[in-house]
Amino acid sequence: MAKDIPAAPAPRPAEQVRNVALVGHTGAGKTTLAEALLVATGALPRAGRVEDGTTCLDTEDVEIRQRRSVSLGVATVEHAGHRITLLDTPGAPDFVGELRAGLRAADAALFVVSAVNGVDATTVALWQECAAVGLPRAVVLTQIDRPQADVDEAVHLCQTLLGEGVFPVHLVDRAADGSVRDLVSLLDPDAASGPAGPQDAGRLRAELIEGIIGESEDEVLMERYLAGDQLVQSDLIADLETAVARGHFHPVLCAAPPAGIGVAALLELVVSGFPCPSEHGCPPVTRPDGAPAPAVSCDPDGPLVAEVVKTTTDPYVGRVSLVRVFSGTLRPDMAVHVSGHGMADRGHPDHDVDERIGAVSSPLGSSLRLVPACPAGDVCAIARLTSAETGDTLSCPEDPLLVPPWELPTPQLPVAVEAASRGDEDRLATALARLVAEDPTVRLERRPETGQLLLWCVGEAHAEVLLERLRSRHGVSVITVPVRVALVETLAGPARVTARHVKQSGGHGQYAVVVVEGQPGPPGSGIVFEQRIVGGTVPGQFHGSVEKGIRAQAERGLGADRSVVDVRVTLVDGKAHSVDSSDAAFQAAGALALRELAAAAGTRLLEPWCEVAVQVPGEYVGAVMSDLSARRARVTGSDTDPAADRATVRAEVPEVELLGYPGALRSISHGTGSFDRRPLGHEPAPASLSVPA
């Protein structure tokens, strides 16, 4: 197969570079469209099929088996003297981290919408996300050759759901049997007599031209149009590029990729209508310590600023980093500074290290083709960066810079994993560390309360892919076990006890007597220690020793090995010996005092609660509240953002009820919902949870 792959396109100036992300819901046909584009540009001799697992961009075992993309696929091709990098993003909500990585590397987004299934809520949410960052967008309707396709309805849905600035560019010319014969461009003056009928075609062409001129603000072209001049396609192309680049004009094209229909027109739009990297601009930069730094531009001779947007581990090549270069030029074997900051809360500690990169390659799916350099505006793959993780910044060692990480979802689904065998135990830690380095939406946690190792994932599909990668990519077999939520105890009521720690075994003995009062505290208060000693019955230097013993015993737990929380303990009296009293003796007495308080007052089982904020479109608020109520939650309020048609529902929920909540929320909101949580404290557990630890 390698002999069929052409050489990589030569590096080009930023004006001749296009980086385009293919975005859309699963099943819309993104990968099929990408295959057709690769064939049309000569990068592939023939198109693969998703159904057969033979596509260039879906090469993981799990992608072939599931017949859908689960990771970012990248291919760089050449067309009309331009270097085009296609970034095929996954459509499932669980892989939004890969999607946002693709958007970070792109200068424009091509939304792929099925003419059969139309626009779904996930596509609308992604559209709004791109609009929020000003990313230029266009739409391509695929599957127009299927019997169930309704192009007019799909265009109407795009205009209704995606907002202003959406204009169709194509009319579909169908034969008598309904099959697609060709497409008619509304940029062509002859489109007025196209298949949509003279009146409709003329109206659509007029709306398209007015949209282009209005957004490009070309007064000369406007005067010609108002004067009745017949505008041809060449008159409109430059203004079309300006209109699209400004991010408020969104052309809708049509394509039937398996038949090759519309593919050439789409490539023409990418080259002539999409912005180049210098038009899109660069993200802000700072020094690694957060100090301000001069802004950078898309200049191949400027200071090096590049970002790792994807990390993979190849069994033969080692770690491979997909990089978008914003400024400067990357060359093989050059020294770079690797900075990773701002993701310590996700298990990615801040780091700064100098390294030397290996080869620089141009990706074509899983194939890497060597290139002499990667200048500003381009995307490349580099090898031998042993410390680089997804989201890290590459810069000059003499002038380190940092690009802030892009916004990522917080993983909310915990999966408890264990090595399947003793042989896998040795490799598990290394494999998990690599997973975390590759995927910034993953978080690893070892819970001391239960001893479980938790892999925090975005959702169930994400978890399935991660477990498959552990097996196939890293050669480690793991098993999953139910996640245990750590229960704790508190005092059931107030009590007063005397704890005596008196031992004599020759020489110095141990002597400490404490009298304490204890009572349960409010949720989240922890262990509160106070003292009301009168007359120095317990010398001041031992007050801290008593507190230390109480806290140590609370952390160890009582008979059931559950830690003790939310208790207020007051030292009120005691006795000391001038020779035999010591720090250790009073620590032991403090620990004994807590155990005797539990025996006297009894204990009550508590479970952890969380405060959650659930974000969904307004139409799903009622369903979300009903589901939360069924999970023993207390809904504390909600607010709405009418402009974005989003609502936030706030509630307090037992942690055990959140174990399967990501999947439930996804089902309720059709993939458009998300939520955040923070620990709230502990509250009495129901009788159903009151079982021995």
Side-chain angles (χ1 to χ4, degrees):
M1 179 178 177
K3 64 178 183 293
D4 296 330
I5 297 176
R12 296 186 179 277
E15 292 72 21
Q16 295 173 277
V17 172
R18 301 290 185 270
N19 300 308
V20 183
L22 305 182
V23 180
H25 192 262
T26 296
K30 299 184 297 298
T31 302
T32 300
L33 176 61
E35 289 286 311
L37 293 171
L38 296 182
V39 172
T41 56
L44 292 179
R46 67 190 67 84
R49 285 168 40 90
V50 172
E51 297 81 0
D52 299 335
T54 56
T55 63
C56 172
L57 298 177
D58 288 349
T59 56
E60 286 194 65
D61 291 344
V62 65
E63 291 178 312
I64 295 171
R65 188 177 68 252
Q66 295 184 2
R67 298 181 180 179
R68 64 172 181 175
S69 301
V70 301
S71 61
L72 178 65
V74 185
T76 301
V77 298
E78 188 170 19
H79 178 72
H82 288 68
R83 184 177 162 96
I84 302 172
T85 295
L86 302 173
L87 301 124
D88 181 23
T89 67
D94 275 14
F95 308 106
V96 66
E98 299 277 340
L99 162 69
R100 291 180 180 171
L103 295 178
R104 184 65 162 233
D107 300 302
L110 186 63
F111 274 74
V112 181
V113 175
S114 167
V116 176
N117 300 318
V119 182
D120 68 336
T122 302
T123 301
V124 175
L126 294 177
W127 183 273
Q128 294 171 344
E129 186 173 316
C130 292
V133 297
L135 192 69
R137 284 147 285 149
V139 178
V140 57
L141 298 179
T142 59
Q143 303 171 355
I144 62 172
D145 52 342
R146 294 189 180 181
Q148 312 95 318
D150 189 337
V151 174
D152 293 339
E153 176 63 15
V155 170
H156 173 70
L157 286 174
C158 288
Q159 293 178 319
T160 302
L161 299 177
L162 302 183
E164 298 180 354
V166 177
F167 295 94
V169 174
H170 285 151
L171 302 175
V172 179
D173 183 9
R174 296 186 182 275
D177 61 359
S179 61
V180 177
R181 291 191 302 195
D182 203 354
L183 301 176
V184 178
S185 172
L186 289 170
L187 295 174
D188 188 337
D190 295 335
S193 58
Q199 187 173 6
D200 285 346
R203 174 181 58 81
L204 293 173
R205 172 173 161 79
E207 291 175 353
L208 174 64
I209 292 176
E210 290 170 10
I212 293 173
I213 297 175
E215 186 57 37
S216 65
E217 299 178 354
D218 188 334
E219 296 181 2
V220 174
L221 198 62
M222 177 64 79
E223 291 175 0
R224 288 183 56 192
Y225 176 69
L226 294 177
D229 285 1
Q230 184 70 280
L231 302 180
V232 297
Q233 185 164 321
S234 58
D235 296 326
L236 297 167
I237 286 298
D239 285 56
L240 174 66
E241 179 181 0
T242 301
V244 173
R246 289 186 173 183
H248 299 290
F249 177 87
H250 316 294
V252 181
L253 293 84
C254 295
I261 297 174
V263 175
L266 181 57
L267 283 170
E268 182 61 29
L269 171 72
V270 169
V271 169
S272 304
F274 276 177
C276 66
S278 55
E279 292 175 296
H280 185 225
C282 300
V285 295
T286 65
R287 304 294 180 191
D289 61 1
V296 297
S297 61
C298 187
D299 179 4
D301 298 320
L304 178 64
V305 177
E307 188 171 27
V308 179
V309 295
K310 180 179 173 64
T311 306
T312 56
T313 303
D314 186 278
Y316 304 105
V317 182
R319 185 172 294 190
V320 178
S321 303
L322 182 73
V323 174
R324 165 67 192 262
V325 180
F326 294 108
S327 173
T329 301
L330 268 177
R331 292 183 173 84
D333 208 37
M334 74 182 294
V336 297
H337 182 81
V338 181
S339 290
H341 291 256
M343 298 185 67
D345 59 332
R346 294 176 176 270
H348 303 261
D350 292 352
H351 53 275
D352 289 280
V353 64
D354 290 344
E355 287 201 57
R356 187 172 296 277
I357 68 174
V360 177
S361 303
S362 180
L364 182 63
S366 59
S367 300
L368 300 178
R369 304 162 296 171
L370 297 178
V371 291
C374 183
D378 217 334
V379 176
C380 67
I382 55 179
R384 275 187 16 204
L385 277 181
T386 57
S387 66
E389 301 181 357
T390 300
D392 283 1
T393 303
L394 309 182
S395 58
C396 299
E398 298 78 17
D399 185 23
L401 296 171
L402 181 68
V403 177
W406 59 86
E407 184 178 345
L408 289 167
T410 301
Q412 298 288 2
L413 178 68
V415 178
V417 296
E418 298 177 357
S421 66
R422 186 174 297 276
D424 291 310
E425 289 180 358
D426 298 333
R427 301 190 302 272
L428 180 58
T430 301
L432 289 173
R434 288 176 177 171
L435 275 188
V436 173
E438 294 170 1
D439 189 344
T441 61
V442 178
R443 182 166 64 89
L444 199 60
E445 178 190 10
R446 171 74 72 177
R447 285 207 164 169
E449 305 95 338
T450 62
Q452 287 189 314
L453 184 62
L454 299 185
L455 195 63
W456 286 86
C457 312
V458 176
E460 293 175 357
H462 187 214
E464 180 183 352
V465 168
L466 292 175
L467 295 174
E468 173 66 20
R469 285 176 180 165
L470 282 174
R471 184 194 64 78
S472 61
R473 184 182 293 178
H474 303 292
V476 179
S477 295
V478 298
I479 58 174
T480 59
V481 296
V483 176
R484 298 198 301 272
V485 173
L487 303 180
V488 297
E489 292 179 295
T490 191
L491 297 180
R496 179 185 176 110
V497 298
T498 299
R500 300 172 57 87
H501 180 74
V502 179
K503 291 186 178 181
Q504 188 70 45
S505 57
H508 285 303
Q510 298 183 45
Y511 187 95
V513 178
V514 296
V515 180
V516 299
E517 295 176 350
Q519 62 184 30
S525 60
I527 302 297
V528 178
F529 176 80
E530 300 173 335
Q531 63 86 19
R532 294 201 310 267
I533 294 295
V534 178
T537 53
V538 176
Q541 69 264 33
F542 296 133
H543 295 174
S545 304
V546 177
E547 179 181 4
K548 188 180 296 184
I550 290 172
R551 292 187 180 279
Q553 184 66 62
E555 185 175 342
R556 288 194 301 269
L558 302 172
D561 293 330
R562 296 190 180 104
S563 61
V564 177
V565 302
D566 301 340
V567 172
R568 180 184 296 273
V569 180
T570 304
L571 175 64
V572 296
D573 201 357
K575 293 181 181 179
H577 189 277
S578 59
V579 175
D580 293 341
S581 291
S582 64
D583 171 70
F586 274 96
Q587 283 193 46
L592 177 61
L594 185 61
R595 296 197 297 271
E596 294 192 358
L597 280 173
T603 59
R604 183 171 52 184
L605 197 63
L606 303 178
E607 63 175 331
W609 279 56
C610 296
E611 184 178 59
V612 300
V614 185
Q615 296 88 29
V616 290
E619 61 184 296
Y620 300 120
V621 168
V624 167
M625 287 187 172
S626 296
D627 181 74
L628 287 172
S629 297
R631 297 174 184 273
R632 299 189 285 130
R634 297 188 295 261
V635 176
T636 58
S638 65
D639 52 65
T640 59
D641 180 2
D645 188 29
R646 299 285 289 183
T648 300
V649 179
R650 294 181 176 82
E652 297 171 351
V653 194
E655 184 178 327
V656 69
E657 300 289 349
L658 293 176
L659 292 179
Y661 190 59
L665 177 61
R666 188 151 295 151
S667 176
I668 292 170
S669 65
H670 298 276
T672 61
S674 62
F675 76 102
D676 299 308
R677 73 172 102 190
R678 70 173 186 86
L680 189 62
H682 294 81
E683 297 192 18
S688 59
L689 296 181
S690 300
V691 295

